[in-house]
Amino acid sequence: MLRSLLQRGAVTTNHKNCWIVIRIDGKGFHKFCDVHNFLKPNDERGLNLMNLAAVHVLQEFNEIVLAYGQSDEYSFIFRRDTSVYNRRRDKLISYVGSLFTSAYIFNWRTIFQDTLELKYPPVFDSRAVLYPTDQNLRDYMSWRQADVHINNLYNTSFWNLVASGLTNAEAEERLRGTLSSDKNEILFKEFNINYNNVPVMFRKGTTLMRKKVKLTNDKKLSLIVPIFEDMIDDAFWTRHPEILSGKSDSTDCYELGDNKEHVLIRYQIEKHNKRRPGAEVSL
Amino acid sequence: MLRSLLQRGAVTTNHKNCWIVIRIDGKGFHKFCDVHNFLKPNDERGLNLMNLAAVHVLQEFNEIVLAYGQSDEYSFIFRRDTSVYNRRRDKLISYVGSLFTSAYIFNWRTIFQDTLELKYPPVFDSRAVLYPTDQNLRDYMSWRQADVHINNLYNTSFWNLVASGLTNAEAEERLRGTLSSDKNEILFKEFNINYNNVPVMFRKGTTLMRKKVKLTNDKKLSLIVPIFEDMIDDAFWTRHPEILSGKSDSTDCYELGDNKEHVLIRYQIEKHNKRRPGAEVSL
Amino acid sequence: MLRSLLQRGAVTTNHKNCWIVIRIDGKGFHKFCDVHNFLKPNDERGLNLMNLAAVHVLQEFNEIVLAYGQSDEYSFIFRRDTSVYNRRRDKLISYVGSLFTSAYIFNWRTIFQDTLELKYPPVFDSRAVLYPTDQNLRDYMSWRQADVHINNLYNTSFWNLVASGLTNAEAEERLRGTLSSDKNEILFKEFNINYNNVPVMFRKGTTLMRKKVKLTNDKKLSLIVPIFEDMIDDAFWTRHPEILSGKSDSTDCYELGDNKEHVLIRYQIEKHNKRRPGAEVSL
Amino acid sequence: MLRSLLQRGAVTTNHKNCWIVIRIDGKGFHKFCDVHNFLKPNDERGLNLMNLAAVHVLQEFNEIVLAYGQSDEYSFIFRRDTSVYNRRRDKLISYVGSLFTSAYIFNWRTIFQDTLELKYPPVFDSRAVLYPTDQNLRDYMSWRQADVHINNLYNTSFWNLVASGLTNAEAEERLRGTLSSDKNEILFKEFNINYNNVPVMFRKGTTLMRKKVKLTNDKKLSLIVPIFEDMIDDAFWTRHPEILSGKSDSTDCYELGDNKEHVLIRYQIEKHNKRRPGAEVSL
């Protein structure tokens, strides 16, 4: 048993017991968003299509304990001790990347119905990153979430300035060297926007986790739920101890609250019901 | 200059000057073919959808000199000296895999029109393989082409036996231990099939290369052409010297022959013409 | 800063923040010990030559927090956050291996003086192993220390049986299938040896750490000290908290006790004094 | 058989069928040469100690077809198809490095007898480099041999200038921006040195190969012979076809010429004779 701890000579990609993060990134999505007229600075449908594709990935891989998406990227975190595909780099990178791509296109109509046609095939690259300690993983998650904050505050300010008549160059010039507080003030004073009231998905990104939810028939159903919380504080990790411990309290139910009608939840309930005619459930 | 030859300490994936082969493989395509009622032992439309997806990949990567597809797999061969994405493993594997997947779904309707609905998102994994010598590369291509021969002769015999009334188990039993010559005889004597007359794409797989073809206006157009030839003999490599030499004779034109109406050719001509209204071309 | 956490595409050997263990192993030391008539089952001088070579390695690399030797192997544990040679595998493996080899031969006369001639050049291979968590590292150390226990108890029994007149084959036969308790009893009943009184270096191996020791002039000196303790229990890690925390309490002094005259200590004091004529120190 | 060509997922260090070059490099040899008063710009005994250490490596590894040394570095070229240690990077790097180090110290007295004492343990690092094509290998060898030419011409000029009374800084200044022809002229005009008459080992480095030589008893003996030839020209590779072909003509004998008395040859003959008392041979 101990012997298996020792890695034999060959350089393996995925050192046993490291957290494995597979991150996919949209390729040329600036152009892709333009061609498909996605709203700026955020297109809710576009983001939810990303989220829906990610749900497919979590449904396929039980050993993903957490996923996090923002803009045109998504990170999938595999359990420390996962042995899926023997932790082979090629397999994990290509399978997650292909499945995400496939689900993104397959669900295009789920999100856009007939209002928007897919003009050309979108592409995502993917990469593997390994983190030895829990703190390394938390630093990574914080880094990605800090990224969405910085970008979104900038973009919200930028596109409001453009909407108010400035050219792109003028808006860029206006924001050069500004601090977060400056941008908050521009938004508030000039556009009457309290940044804290911007939809939380735009400000925080989307975290996906597997949770048990209570049905109207008092039974429980395991769903992949969208969570919009700050992951930089300790509180998040205390509230969801199963991420780092690898053990979930099987009796607790997660309260969906306002998210009962979220497109990701509706999608999963409908799919569940379609497979069990006569035994439909509801939240 | 010489200094760059020396690889510094870190183990890099893609040793400079090795042939890089990226091979994609359908995931669970046995089930995928069943669910979508693909014809057995070969579904021409299904194979051409694979080919069409591969054309997208070659259009994206100029440095692919050759691609070869059979069944649910496709191999893409990058020039020895390619520096695309700095030969980074993650990038090449994930980008080729995602683009192939994306193009496969995107072109579903190009091939099947409204006759067949895509029931769930197909997935492909991908891997990188490196070959130092030209002979290694040729051995690899021979291996994949020998594979299609063995499988297709077996499958053609098997499904004809099943169509004639045998159960799967009986057909399997009948073929156990048979040689190629035995199967050829079964096909000929019992089903009046001369295996050599089976469509060449089924017997040899599809090779894709970039070639100049002559248009009716006497100009030339660079197209990705399907070739159905034996790659095991030297003759193939002599006929297409640009693969190993990396240099194409820019004056020679390739004769499409019967393939002028091939779906891959028509697709490229139509796409070319759509982008140049008023300057359409034809073969 | 966070950005540096993200490992870019290329597969690096030494994932940031993993413990790096470089282990060297004698090549063909069975024969080497025979040719040089090393005592069986343990040659104290031979083991201390290993220890002395290891001291050289620790003197060269400040970032080694712990080393452990037994038989013809030595493990060097680099701090989690070491950036020595950019954690490059080739560099660490070859440099530690070459320095150990070099110091082993160079100190041959320090240990054996003129009593034993080196007959041919000894060789050690080396390898790198990475451990993400503290527990992984402790498991590794326990594994190596359990190994010395099992081997030494067996060898002590075996060579006493041989010394008592049995052939090698008879001794082997006699020990086949015996438990630890059986071997302890053989030693006690037949040879009047209480295994617990066998020198602790033979039973536990040698752990090397950098410690401050008090000199007779009341000043402190940093020395690499040999420690013969059980590393499987928690107590060891509590007694030496600097290993896992990376921080040593700079005020505490380590008590050498009986080891004041240990060859490793004498060697370091003499070397220290030779470089500072007129300012010699003593313990 | 073909299947084994395909490298499975994991990133292996040593791609099958690439040339493997293990290069060792002296660590801090500038200081090492100073401390031991090695002659400048070249110390024949120091270089031959390097050569002798390399002979040990070739005697251990049959699959090394060529070795090349200059200054404080040595390159060992393993056959394309070598399977020694399964081509494992850690093993090859550490074993070659340790053996070279060990043999260097062990043979110190063979070369220096009692005229020079080894003051501290020398260290060599080692690294692996892979080359896919024969041309890549030849480029590498040319690169290393061009390196010795450039360095030696500079150093010969520099140390002659210093010997003539210039300070190091003045000699450096004098040579700044000079071409090869300028340095040749300085040597000839000012020091009456025809650079082409400088010992060939200093100008070309030492190539080691396994060759059959004829003994006085008309029998043949396989020896590792030093060769001082230009490897940049094609002629070298034509004269020694076994390097690239992997096949040696077993009937041909190599003419040692002036090198019959070379220290490397004498060393091997003496070692051979010592093992076969009563059956000594001579050249």
Side-chain angles (χ1 to χ4, degrees):
Chain A
M1 188 188 63
L2 274 163
R3 195 161 288 265
S4 74
L5 283 175
L6 190 75
Q7 288 160 18
R8 313 256 127 220
V11 180
T12 70
T13 325
N14 296 304
H15 293 290
K16 278 251 191 305
N17 211 25
C18 275
W19 293 101
I20 302 176
V21 178
I22 304 288
R23 188 175 74 224
I24 67 95
D25 258 293
K27 182 116 197 92
F29 257 52
H30 197 80
K31 178 189 157 201
F32 186 82
C33 293
D34 280 352
V35 166
H36 292 92
N37 293 313
F38 280 8
L39 296 179
K40 279 160 183 167
N42 292 289
D43 188 295
E44 194 185 338
R45 300 158 312 160
L47 291 174
N48 274 326
L49 180 52
M50 293 287 291
N51 290 336
L52 205 42
V55 164
H56 278 254
V57 176
L58 272 93
Q59 285 175 331
E60 183 68 24
F61 290 99
N62 282 325
E63 305 210 316
I64 296 175
V65 290
L66 187 71
Y68 177 69
Q70 56 116 324
S71 184
D72 60 348
E73 73 168 51
Y74 234 100
S75 299
F76 299 93
I77 290 85
F78 285 77
R79 298 161 55 98
R80 253 187 194 290
D81 59 357
T82 184
S83 60
V84 60
Y85 291 115
N86 281 324
R87 306 171 75 95
R88 279 169 56 194
R89 191 178 190 92
D90 284 17
K91 279 283 182 195
L92 287 174
I93 283 174
S94 68
Y95 192 1
V96 169
S98 174
L99 178 52
F100 190 93
T101 306
S102 198
Y104 186 90
I105 310 182
F106 188 79
N107 285 299
W108 183 271
R109 291 169 66 93
T110 313
I111 295 292
F112 294 109
Q113 277 95 34
D114 293 329
T115 66
L116 183 62
E117 192 200 358
L118 180 61
K119 304 253 168 52
Y120 67 87
V123 184
F124 298 87
D125 70 25
S126 41
R127 74 193 68 193
V129 197
L130 305 188
Y131 293 113
T133 65
D134 295 350
Q135 189 57 47
N136 291 151
L137 177 65
R138 285 191 53 182
D139 286 347
Y140 172 80
M141 301 307 288
S142 297
W143 171 46
R144 299 324 300 146
Q145 197 166 44
D147 190 77
V148 75
H149 172 72
I150 289 163
N151 291 337
N152 189 58
L153 180 55
Y154 182 93
N155 292 338
T156 306
S157 307
F158 180 87
W159 290 109
N160 270 291
L161 288 168
V162 168
S164 76
L166 269 60
T167 62
N168 285 14
E170 288 164 348
E172 214 178 307
E173 183 54 36
R174 177 73 194 283
L175 293 173
R176 198 188 311 282
T178 55
L179 306 175
S180 287
S181 53
D182 301 325
K183 296 190 197 76
N184 273 313
E185 199 170 303
I186 289 172
L187 285 172
F188 192 66
K189 291 225 172 125
E190 303 189 20
F191 305 108
N192 202 25
I193 291 173
N194 181 337
Y195 183 71
N196 288 328
N197 295 338
V198 165
V200 65
M201 177 166 74
F202 300 168
R203 286 181 293 119
K204 298 287 182 198
T206 304
T207 306
L208 296 181
M209 294 182 67
R210 211 169 270 101
K211 293 280 189 184
K212 286 215 167 55
V213 298
K214 192 173 271 179
L215 300 169
T216 48
N217 65 5
D218 258 3
K219 294 203 171 155
K220 291 171 193 166
L221 183 65
S222 178
L223 289 180
I224 291 152
V225 305
I227 294 175
F228 309 100
E229 298 180 359
D230 184 311
M231 296 186 296
I232 300 174
D233 282 346
D234 290 341
F236 176 84
W237 305 90
T238 313
R239 260 197 313 276
H240 308 287
E242 71 268 34
I243 302 173
L244 297 181
S245 73
K247 286 165 203 154
S248 59
D249 180 338
S250 58
T251 58
D252 266 18
C253 268
Y254 181 77
E255 278 300 327
L256 281 169
D258 291 349
N259 287 329
K260 270 189 188 168
E261 289 303 312
H262 192 283
V263 60
L264 298 189
I265 301 298
R266 270 194 290 114
Y267 172 85
Q268 291 177 77
I269 293 289
E270 278 169 23
K271 206 167 156 186
H272 180 269
N273 286 341
K274 203 176 280 176
R275 286 181 180 165
R276 293 163 185 79
E280 287 84 356
V281 299
S282 61
L283 290 166
Chain B
M1 189 187 64
L2 274 164
R3 194 160 288 267
S4 73
L5 284 175
L6 190 76
Q7 288 158 21
R8 313 256 126 220
V11 180
T12 71
T13 324
N14 295 303
H15 293 290
K16 278 249 190 305
N17 212 26
C18 275
W19 292 100
I20 302 176
V21 177
I22 304 288
R23 188 175 74 224
I24 68 95
D25 258 294
K27 182 117 198 90
F29 257 53
H30 199 79
K31 179 190 156 201
F32 186 82
C33 294
D34 280 351
V35 166
H36 293 92
N37 293 314
F38 281 7
L39 296 178
K40 281 160 181 165
N42 292 288
D43 189 292
E44 193 185 341
R45 300 158 311 160
L47 291 174
N48 274 326
L49 181 52
M50 292 289 289
N51 290 336
L52 204 42
V55 165
H56 278 254
V57 176
L58 271 93
Q59 285 175 330
E60 184 67 25
F61 290 99
N62 281 326
E63 306 210 314
I64 296 174
V65 290
L66 188 71
Y68 176 70
Q70 57 117 322
S71 184
D72 61 348
E73 73 169 51
Y74 235 100
S75 299
F76 299 93
I77 290 85
F78 287 77
R79 299 160 56 96
R80 252 186 195 292
D81 59 357
T82 183
S83 60
V84 61
Y85 291 116
N86 280 325
R87 306 170 75 95
R88 280 169 55 194
R89 192 177 190 92
D90 284 16
K91 280 282 182 195
L92 289 173
I93 284 174
S94 68
Y95 193 0
V96 169
S98 174
L99 177 53
F100 189 92
T101 307
S102 199
Y104 186 91
I105 310 181
F106 188 79
N107 286 297
W108 184 269
R109 291 168 66 91
T110 313
I111 295 292
F112 294 109
Q113 276 93 37
D114 291 329
T115 66
L116 184 61
E117 192 200 359
L118 180 62
K119 303 253 169 51
Y120 66 86
V123 183
F124 300 87
D125 69 25
S126 40
R127 75 194 67 193
V129 198
L130 304 188
Y131 293 112
T133 65
D134 295 350
Q135 190 55 48
N136 291 151
L137 177 65
R138 285 191 52 182
D139 286 347
Y140 172 80
M141 302 307 289
S142 297
W143 172 45
R144 299 323 301 146
Q145 197 166 44
D147 191 76
V148 75
H149 172 71
I150 289 163
N151 290 337
N152 190 58
L153 179 56
Y154 183 93
N155 292 337
T156 305
S157 307
F158 180 87
W159 290 109
N160 271 291
L161 288 167
V162 168
S164 76
L166 270 59
T167 64
N168 286 14
E170 289 165 348
E172 214 178 306
E173 182 53 37
R174 176 75 194 283
L175 293 172
R176 199 188 311 280
T178 55
L179 305 174
S180 287
S181 53
D182 301 324
K183 296 190 197 78
N184 274 312
E185 200 170 302
I186 289 173
L187 285 171
F188 192 67
K189 292 225 174 122
E190 302 190 22
F191 305 108
N192 202 26
I193 291 173
N194 181 338
Y195 183 70
N196 289 327
N197 295 338
V198 165
V200 66
M201 178 167 73
F202 301 167
R203 287 182 291 118
K204 298 287 183 199
T206 304
T207 305
L208 296 181
M209 293 182 67
R210 211 169 270 101
K211 292 280 189 185
K212 286 215 167 54
V213 297
K214 192 173 272 178
L215 300 169
T216 48
N217 64 6
D218 258 2
K219 295 205 169 149
K220 292 171 192 165
L221 183 65
S222 177
L223 288 180
I224 292 150
V225 305
I227 295 175
F228 309 101
E229 299 181 358
D230 185 311
M231 297 185 296
I232 299 174
D233 281 346
D234 290 341
F236 174 85
W237 306 89
T238 313
R239 258 196 315 275
H240 308 285
E242 70 268 35
I243 302 173
L244 297 181
S245 73
K247 285 166 205 154
S248 59
D249 181 337
S250 57
T251 57
D252 265 19
C253 268
Y254 181 78
E255 278 300 326
L256 281 169
D258 291 348
N259 287 328
K260 270 189 189 168
E261 288 303 312
H262 193 284
V263 60
L264 297 189
I265 301 298
R266 270 195 289 114
Y267 171 85
Q268 291 177 76
I269 294 289
E270 277 168 24
K271 205 166 156 187
H272 179 269
N273 286 342
K274 202 177 281 177
R275 285 181 180 164
R276 293 165 186 77
E280 287 84 356
V281 299
S282 60
L283 290 166
Chain C
M1 190 187 62
L2 273 165
R3 194 159 288 264
S4 74
L5 284 174
L6 189 76
Q7 289 160 18
R8 314 256 126 219
V11 180
T12 71
T13 325
N14 295 305
H15 292 290
K16 277 249 191 307
N17 212 26
C18 274
W19 293 100
I20 301 176
V21 178
I22 303 289
R23 189 175 75 224
I24 67 95
D25 258 293
K27 182 115 199 92
F29 257 53
H30 198 80
K31 178 189 157 201
F32 186 82
C33 294
D34 279 352
V35 166
H36 292 91
N37 293 314
F38 281 7
L39 297 179
K40 282 162 180 164
N42 292 289
D43 189 293
E44 193 184 340
R45 301 159 311 160
L47 291 174
N48 274 326
L49 181 51
M50 293 287 291
N51 290 336
L52 205 42
V55 164
H56 278 255
V57 176
L58 271 93
Q59 285 175 331
E60 182 68 24
F61 290 99
N62 282 325
E63 305 210 315
I64 295 175
V65 291
L66 188 72
Y68 177 70
Q70 57 117 323
S71 183
D72 62 348
E73 73 169 52
Y74 235 100
S75 300
F76 299 93
I77 290 86
F78 286 78
R79 299 161 54 97
R80 254 186 194 289
D81 59 358
T82 185
S83 60
V84 61
Y85 291 116
N86 281 326
R87 307 171 74 95
R88 280 168 57 192
R89 190 178 192 94
D90 284 17
K91 280 282 181 194
L92 288 173
I93 283 174
S94 68
Y95 192 0
V96 169
S98 174
L99 177 53
F100 189 93
T101 306
S102 198
Y104 186 91
I105 309 181
F106 188 79
N107 286 298
W108 184 269
R109 291 169 64 93
T110 312
I111 294 292
F112 294 109
Q113 276 95 36
D114 292 329
T115 66
L116 183 62
E117 192 201 358
L118 181 62
K119 304 251 169 53
Y120 66 86
V123 184
F124 299 87
D125 70 23
S126 40
R127 75 195 68 195
V129 198
L130 304 188
Y131 294 113
T133 66
D134 295 350
Q135 190 56 48
N136 291 151
L137 177 64
R138 286 192 51 184
D139 287 348
Y140 172 81
M141 302 308 288
S142 298
W143 171 46
R144 298 324 300 145
Q145 197 165 43
D147 191 77
V148 75
H149 172 73
I150 289 163
N151 290 337
N152 190 57
L153 180 55
Y154 182 92
N155 292 338
T156 305
S157 308
F158 180 87
W159 290 108
N160 272 291
L161 289 168
V162 168
S164 75
L166 269 60
T167 63
N168 285 13
E170 288 164 348
E172 213 177 308
E173 183 54 38
R174 176 77 194 281
L175 293 173
R176 199 188 310 285
T178 55
L179 305 175
S180 287
S181 53
D182 302 325
K183 297 189 197 76
N184 273 314
E185 200 171 301
I186 290 172
L187 285 172
F188 193 67
K189 292 224 172 124
E190 304 189 19
F191 306 108
N192 201 25
I193 291 173
N194 180 338
Y195 183 70
N196 288 328
N197 295 338
V198 165
V200 65
M201 178 167 73
F202 300 168
R203 287 182 291 120
K204 298 288 181 197
T206 305
T207 305
L208 297 180
M209 293 182 66
R210 211 169 270 102
K211 293 281 189 184
K212 287 214 166 55
V213 298
K214 192 174 271 178
L215 299 169
T216 47
N217 65 5
D218 258 3
K219 294 204 171 153
K220 291 171 193 165
L221 183 65
S222 177
L223 290 179
I224 291 151
V225 304
I227 294 175
F228 310 100
E229 299 180 359
D230 185 309
M231 296 186 296
I232 299 174
D233 281 347
D234 290 341
F236 175 83
W237 305 90
T238 313
R239 261 198 311 279
H240 308 286
E242 72 268 35
I243 302 173
L244 298 180
S245 73
K247 285 166 204 153
S248 59
D249 181 338
S250 57
T251 59
D252 266 18
C253 268
Y254 181 77
E255 278 301 327
L256 281 168
D258 290 349
N259 288 328
K260 269 189 190 170
E261 288 303 312
H262 193 283
V263 61
L264 297 189
I265 301 298
R266 271 195 289 114
Y267 172 85
Q268 291 176 76
I269 294 289
E270 278 169 23
K271 203 166 158 189
H272 180 269
N273 286 341
K274 201 176 282 176
R275 286 181 181 165
R276 293 164 186 77
E280 287 84 357
V281 300
S282 61
L283 289 167
Chain D
M1 188 187 62
L2 273 164
R3 193 161 289 265
S4 73
L5 283 174
L6 190 76
Q7 289 158 18
R8 312 258 127 218
V11 180
T12 71
T13 324
N14 296 305
H15 293 290
K16 278 248 190 309
N17 212 27
C18 275
W19 293 100
I20 301 177
V21 177
I22 304 288
R23 188 175 74 225
I24 68 94
D25 257 294
K27 181 114 199 92
F29 257 52
H30 198 79
K31 177 189 157 202
F32 186 82
C33 293
D34 280 351
V35 166
H36 292 90
N37 293 315
F38 280 8
L39 296 179
K40 281 161 181 164
N42 292 287
D43 189 292
E44 193 184 340
R45 301 158 311 159
L47 291 173
N48 274 327
L49 181 51
M50 293 287 292
N51 290 336
L52 203 43
V55 165
H56 278 254
V57 176
L58 272 93
Q59 285 175 331
E60 182 68 25
F61 290 99
N62 282 325
E63 306 210 314
I64 295 175
V65 290
L66 188 71
Y68 177 70
Q70 57 118 322
S71 183
D72 61 347
E73 73 169 51
Y74 235 100
S75 299
F76 298 93
I77 290 85
F78 286 77
R79 299 160 55 97
R80 252 186 195 293
D81 59 357
T82 183
S83 60
V84 60
Y85 292 116
N86 281 325
R87 307 171 75 95
R88 280 168 56 193
R89 191 177 192 93
D90 285 17
K91 280 283 182 196
L92 289 173
I93 284 175
S94 68
Y95 193 179
V96 169
S98 174
L99 177 51
F100 190 93
T101 306
S102 198
Y104 186 92
I105 310 182
F106 188 78
N107 285 299
W108 184 269
R109 291 169 66 92
T110 313
I111 295 292
F112 295 108
Q113 276 94 38
D114 291 330
T115 65
L116 183 62
E117 191 201 359
L118 180 61
K119 303 251 170 50
Y120 66 87
V123 183
F124 299 87
D125 70 25
S126 40
R127 75 194 68 193
V129 197
L130 305 187
Y131 293 113
T133 66
D134 295 350
Q135 189 56 46
N136 291 150
L137 177 65
R138 286 191 51 183
D139 286 346
Y140 171 81
M141 301 308 286
S142 298
W143 171 47
R144 299 323 301 145
Q145 198 166 42
D147 191 76
V148 76
H149 172 73
I150 289 163
N151 291 336
N152 189 58
L153 180 55
Y154 183 93
N155 292 337
T156 306
S157 308
F158 180 87
W159 290 109
N160 271 291
L161 288 168
V162 168
S164 76
L166 269 59
T167 64
N168 285 15
E170 288 165 348
E172 211 178 310
E173 182 54 36
R174 176 76 195 283
L175 294 172
R176 198 188 311 283
T178 55
L179 304 175
S180 287
S181 53
D182 302 325
K183 297 191 197 74
N184 274 313
E185 199 170 303
I186 289 172
L187 285 171
F188 192 67
K189 293 224 172 123
E190 305 189 17
F191 306 108
N192 202 25
I193 293 173
N194 181 338
Y195 184 71
N196 288 328
N197 295 338
V198 166
V200 66
M201 177 166 74
F202 301 168
R203 286 182 292 116
K204 298 287 182 200
T206 304
T207 305
L208 297 180
M209 293 182 66
R210 210 170 270 102
K211 293 281 190 186
K212 286 214 166 56
V213 297
K214 192 174 270 177
L215 299 169
T216 48
N217 64 5
D218 257 3
K219 295 205 170 151
K220 290 171 194 167
L221 183 66
S222 177
L223 290 179
I224 291 150
V225 306
I227 295 175
F228 310 100
E229 299 179 359
D230 184 310
M231 297 186 296
I232 300 174
D233 281 347
D234 289 342
F236 174 85
W237 306 89
T238 312
R239 262 197 311 276
H240 308 286
E242 71 267 36
I243 302 172
L244 298 181
S245 74
K247 285 165 205 154
S248 59
D249 181 338
S250 56
T251 58
D252 266 18
C253 267
Y254 182 78
E255 279 300 328
L256 279 170
D258 292 347
N259 288 327
K260 270 189 190 169
E261 289 302 313
H262 193 283
V263 60
L264 297 189
I265 301 298
R266 270 195 289 114
Y267 171 86
Q268 292 176 77
I269 293 289
E270 278 168 24
K271 205 166 156 187
H272 180 268
N273 286 341
K274 201 175 285 177
R275 287 182 180 163
R276 294 164 185 77
E280 288 84 355
V281 300
S282 61
L283 289 167

